[in-house]
Amino acid sequence: MRRFTTAAVLAVLAAATVLSAVPAQAQAHEGRRASGLENCTASACHFDVAPGTYDVRVLLGGDAAAGTSISGEARRSLLPETATEAGERLARSFTVNVRTPEGEPTGADGTPGLDLVLGGTAPALAGIAVTPARHPRQIFLVGDSTVCDQPGDPYSGWGQQLPQYLRKGLSVANYADSGESTVTYLADPALFPTVQPLIRRHDLVLIQLAHNDKTTDEATYRANLETLVTGVRAKGGDPVLVTPIVRRWFNADGTLNNNTALLVNGLGVDHPAVIRSVAAAEGVPLIDLTAKTKALVESLGVERSKSIYLYNEKRDNTHTSVQGATLYAGLVRDELVAQHLIPRRQAR
């Protein structure tokens, strides 16, 4: 755990309140808005900022022992719970994407500006500063309901949990959307036609689409994946193909070796196999999330795996709980680091 001297703590606090110390008229004249604790209550903060990407620097801790986590916008986990001892202060930073709609691209607009929610066993926020990010690298997510920023409990997509694993300078722009296939994602103006112009050189674009390609034939599915890869590269981005998370659909022997679990559609199209093939043919990095989630679910077994999906709440063996989405986001983080797609120093 990183610790700070008294002088360092005071410096962070000063930085966290620098804008709020400027008179309101001067802030308006300079086109700046206050970004300190005056924008916060005991449980939440709101910053009146325009759509964009922002660095958030927080100082955690208080007079008593505390445990603080931060989520924001459309229920995104931005900072994992961080423990502080009585009287201790810890500085943490992360980068967040602010946009409209703030969650699923075809969903509700949400609230303008940046909204943060304080959580944890005993949240304590001693200071905060929000500033426009300089040259952030975006991680765009192209996917379906198993990836997206789900609007309400108990659902959570793994993309919703991924930001907490990343440090300042990396921002997740989650453009996954419920119910989408490779066909609809390319066709809907709110989806890939919106994402593609936003991609900058060396931005990562993670693509996981399969669950809703139930009637897509293999030639079309392959061609759609190739179109997405080509579209990302045309903007200078770095595509990454991701095989879909498994469905929790056990055989009698406790394995997931069946078409339902492994995303083989009614036409016999083996989606993970096609994704692997396209990745090899196109020279695209592959995150084999099917293999990794299969191994995890099988290791947990029939009963313990219920909690990482929504079986107990909804008899749902496709969509994940917060616990499951967090585990799966961790698998994605591990692969991004292992394949040198992001620097280890920028991963938590």
Side-chain angles (χ1 to χ4, degrees):
M1 180 179 292
R2 187 181 180 188
R3 300 181 185 276
F4 288 78
T5 65
T6 301
V9 168
L10 291 174
V12 173
L13 279 171
T17 56
V18 63
L19 290 184
S20 61
V22 180
Q25 290 180 339
Q27 290 177 28
H29 177 73
E30 295 171 10
R32 301 164 70 187
R33 296 181 175 88
S35 70
L37 285 173
E38 72 278 7
N39 294 282
C40 302
T41 66
S43 60
C45 302
H46 173 77
F47 299 92
D48 184 19
V49 297
T53 304
Y54 295 87
D55 290 332
V56 180
R57 182 176 176 85
V58 296
L59 191 66
L60 306 178
D63 293 337
T68 310
S69 63
I70 300 177
S71 60
E73 294 299 90
R75 301 177 60 237
R76 300 178 217 155
S77 294
L78 300 171
L79 188 72
E81 181 162 355
T82 303
T84 48
E85 299 173 4
E88 182 184 24
R89 300 292 188 271
L90 292 176
R92 294 290 185 267
S93 298
F94 55 87
T95 301
V96 61
N97 175 253
V98 177
R99 62 181 184 273
T100 303
E102 68 181 17
E104 294 182 89
T106 63
D109 283 355
T111 305
L114 170 61
D115 288 285
L116 303 175
V117 177
L118 306 179
T121 54
L125 181 66
I128 187 167
V130 175
T131 56
R134 295 185 178 182
H135 311 298
R137 188 184 187 194
Q138 300 280 12
I139 301 178
F140 290 93
L141 303 183
V142 169
D144 53 34
S145 59
T146 65
V147 185
C148 75
D149 289 346
Q150 289 282 357
D153 287 326
Y155 293 90
S156 180
W158 62 255
Q160 205 162 17
Q161 301 301 323
L162 184 60
Q164 67 183 298
Y165 289 114
L166 306 174
R167 298 184 187 275
K168 177 184 172 182
L170 280 175
S171 170
V172 175
N174 191 351
Y175 281 84
D177 197 71
S178 294
E180 306 301 342
S181 66
T182 57
V183 176
T184 60
Y185 203 92
L186 285 166
D188 192 324
L191 299 175
F192 196 64
T194 292
V195 174
Q196 188 188 27
L198 301 175
I199 300 169
R200 298 179 304 184
R201 184 171 175 79
H202 295 314
D203 282 342
L204 285 175
V205 183
L206 276 56
I207 301 165
Q208 186 216 278
L209 287 166
H211 280 83
N212 299 301
D213 281 280
K214 299 173 184 176
T215 60
T216 309
D217 63 79
E218 183 169 340
T220 301
Y221 185 65
R222 179 181 293 272
N224 288 344
L225 292 175
E226 292 169 347
T227 298
L228 288 165
V229 167
T230 300
V232 171
R233 284 175 165 167
K235 303 299 291 185
D238 299 326
V240 179
L241 289 175
V242 183
T243 60
I245 68 170
V246 293
R247 292 191 177 97
R248 185 190 161 277
W249 202 268
F250 283 94
N251 296 326
D253 64 358
T255 67
L256 300 177
N257 297 317
N258 59 77
N259 287 355
T260 300
L262 299 181
L263 282 296
V264 179
N265 75 9
L267 300 178
V269 179
D270 185 332
H271 292 107
V274 176
I275 295 169
R276 295 176 189 122
S277 174
V278 172
E282 297 292 324
V284 174
L286 173 75
I287 296 178
D288 198 339
L289 205 51
T290 306
K292 292 188 173 298
T293 56
K294 177 179 184 292
L296 177 57
V297 173
E298 287 181 342
S299 72
L300 291 172
V302 174
E303 290 303 317
R304 288 200 298 154
S305 64
K306 288 179 179 178
S307 64
I308 67 173
Y309 285 81
L310 295 176
Y311 180 86
N312 294 325
E313 299 86 351
K314 302 286 185 178
R315 296 297 187 268
D316 185 335
N317 292 305
T318 297
H319 298 96
T320 48
S321 63
V322 170
Q323 178 188 358
T326 302
L327 287 171
Y328 288 179
L331 296 175
V332 173
R333 181 274 317 273
D334 291 346
E335 280 299 295
L336 292 173
V337 171
Q339 297 189 41
H340 306 290
L341 296 170
I342 63 173
R344 185 175 297 276
R345 67 179 183 277
Q346 286 192 291
R348 296 187 195 277

